Amino acid sequence: MKWNIKNNVFDNSEKNDKLMLVINDIVAEFDRLIPEGPPLGFKTLEIVNDEISGPTFYWPLGRDFYKIALNITDLNYNQIAFQFTQELCRIYCDPRMRSWFIQLLSHISALYALDYLGHKWENKPPNDELKDYWYNFDSYKSNLLGAAFSKVDIVKYQVANEWVQYQVNKLRRNDKLNRGKLLIIAYELLPMFKDNEKSWLILPYVGKCSVPPPPENANEIVADRDTEPDFEKLIKELPQETMEFANKFYDKIGAREYI
C-alpha cells in the first residue's frame, strides 16, 4: 500500500482496527485503478469522526497530510465505505478544488466501492465474523437509490433518453439539484466506469482542467475553491488510453455542447 493511514475515528482501538478492514480494501482498489496516485501526491491520510460537519475533507494549512472526517455513530462498514470513498475521490481529483463535476465523480466512486466490496467480501470475506456481511453493501446502495428515486418523476425518468444530459445541464447552470438526483445520475453513469477500468484515470486530470485552474504551486493551500469543469481542456489533456471511455462519457452527459 502506498498510503500511510492514521485512523482516529473511534476511541476504541479494536473498533479502529476493524474499520481499517474496509478502508484498506478501498485504498488498495484506488491504488490499482489509479497507480500514479493523486495529483498532489501520496501523503499521510488521517481519518477522524465528525458528527457535526462530516463527512467532509480537511487539509490544515501548512500541513503535509490529508484529513478526512466521517460522520458515523457505529461500525457500519457500508456507511463508512460510502462516505470515505467520496472524500478519497476528492483527493484524487484535487482536494483544493470544488465543483459539481467532482461531486458527481465522488458519488460514482462511492457507488462503485459498494459494488466492489460486496463482490469482494462475498468471495473472500476479511474474517469469519464478516462472512455474511457482503449483502449489506448492496442493501445500503439499494436503500440510498430507493430514497433518491422516490423523489423523482419516474415516468419522465424512464421515457427521456436525455434525462442525464438534462440534469447535468441543470448542474452547469448552477440550478439547485438535490443529492438524490445527483446519486441517480451517478447510478446511470456507473456502468460506464465498471465496463472500462481505464475510466478512473481521468480523476487526476479533473482538478487541473477547471476554471479557474488550481494554483501552480502544489503546496499552495486553497480551501473549497469553487470551479467549473473545462471539458475542452480535459479531453485534450487525458491520456490516449482513456479516449474510448472519454468519448462515450462526453456523449452521455452532453459535454460536447460545451467544447
Side-chain angles (χ1 to χ4, degrees):
M1 183 182 294
K2 301 173 183 178
W3 292 92
N4 175 34
I5 301 177
K6 294 183 178 180
N7 174 13
N8 297 302
V9 173
F10 298 110
D11 294 332
N12 184 302
S13 60
E14 183 180 355
K15 274 192 171 184
N16 282 331
D17 289 342
K18 290 181 176 181
L19 181 145
M20 288 303 298
L21 295 173
V22 70
I23 297 296
N24 285 335
D25 276 351
I26 294 170
V27 169
E29 180 66 357
F30 267 75
D31 283 349
R32 185 183 72 84
L33 293 170
I34 314 172
E36 294 294 321
L40 300 181
F42 293 99
K43 306 175 187 289
T44 295
L45 176 58
E46 183 178 354
I47 311 172
V48 298
N49 194 36
D50 186 340
E51 295 184 21
I52 298 176
S53 301
T56 190
F57 175 88
Y58 304 121
W59 189 5
L61 186 63
R63 302 291 181 86
D64 194 28
F65 63 88
Y66 305 115
K67 188 173 183 179
I68 287 175
L70 306 177
N71 184 347
I72 58 176
T73 56
D74 205 350
L75 190 62
N76 298 314
Y77 296 102
N78 42 27
Q79 183 184 31
I80 292 165
F82 190 79
Q83 293 185 9
F84 175 75
T85 306
Q86 283 191 322
E87 302 308 321
L88 184 64
C89 180
R90 285 191 60 189
I91 293 176
Y92 273 83
C93 291
D94 189 323
R96 302 171 298 173
M97 317 297 280
R98 183 176 65 181
S99 73
W100 65 265
F101 190 48
I102 292 174
Q103 191 176 13
L104 174 59
L105 291 171
S106 297
H107 279 69
I108 295 171
S109 299
L111 290 177
Y112 174 84
L114 294 176
D115 284 349
Y116 167 72
L117 288 166
H119 178 74
K120 186 177 189 296
W121 285 26
E122 179 183 12
N123 292 282
K124 190 177 179 180
N127 55 47
D128 289 340
E129 181 183 350
L130 295 171
K131 65 180 180 179
D132 297 321
Y133 190 89
W134 63 270
Y135 178 77
N136 289 279
F137 292 113
D138 184 64
S139 177
Y140 186 76
K141 175 186 172 185
S142 297
N143 289 337
L144 288 172
L145 290 168
F149 274 108
S150 69
K151 300 176 182 179
V152 169
D153 187 327
I154 296 298
V155 174
K156 288 183 178 180
Y157 168 78
Q158 290 177 333
V159 301
N161 293 329
E162 295 82 21
W163 189 88
V164 169
Q165 292 184 16
Y166 175 71
Q167 298 298 337
V168 167
N169 190 45
K170 288 179 66 176
L171 284 171
R172 290 187 61 85
R173 298 199 313 265
N174 294 319
D175 286 3
K176 289 185 178 180
L177 186 68
N178 62 49
R179 288 184 176 273
K181 285 188 176 179
L182 193 65
L183 191 65
I184 295 172
I185 298 171
Y187 169 72
E188 285 288 334
L189 296 172
L190 177 62
M192 301 181 67
F193 283 79
K194 294 175 71 174
D195 290 343
N196 189 335
E197 288 192 345
K198 299 298 182 182
S199 60
W200 301 102
L201 297 176
I202 76 169
L203 265 59
Y205 292 86
V206 171
K208 67 178 182 178
C209 296
S210 302
V211 180
E216 292 185 9
N217 183 356
N219 293 322
E220 184 176 340
I221 310 301
V222 180
D224 290 336
R225 173 186 285 243
D226 290 314
T227 67
E228 280 292 318
D230 185 338
F231 287 117
E232 182 175 4
K233 182 178 181 181
L234 181 59
I235 199 71
K236 292 178 180 177
E237 293 275 345
L238 289 175
Q240 186 61 38
E241 57 191 322
T242 68
M243 283 299 102
E244 179 183 354
F245 163 78
N247 283 314
K248 293 179 180 178
F249 183 69
Y250 271 42
D251 289 340
K252 181 71 173 179
I253 67 174
R256 297 193 190 282
E257 297 179 18
Y258 311 102
I259 296 178

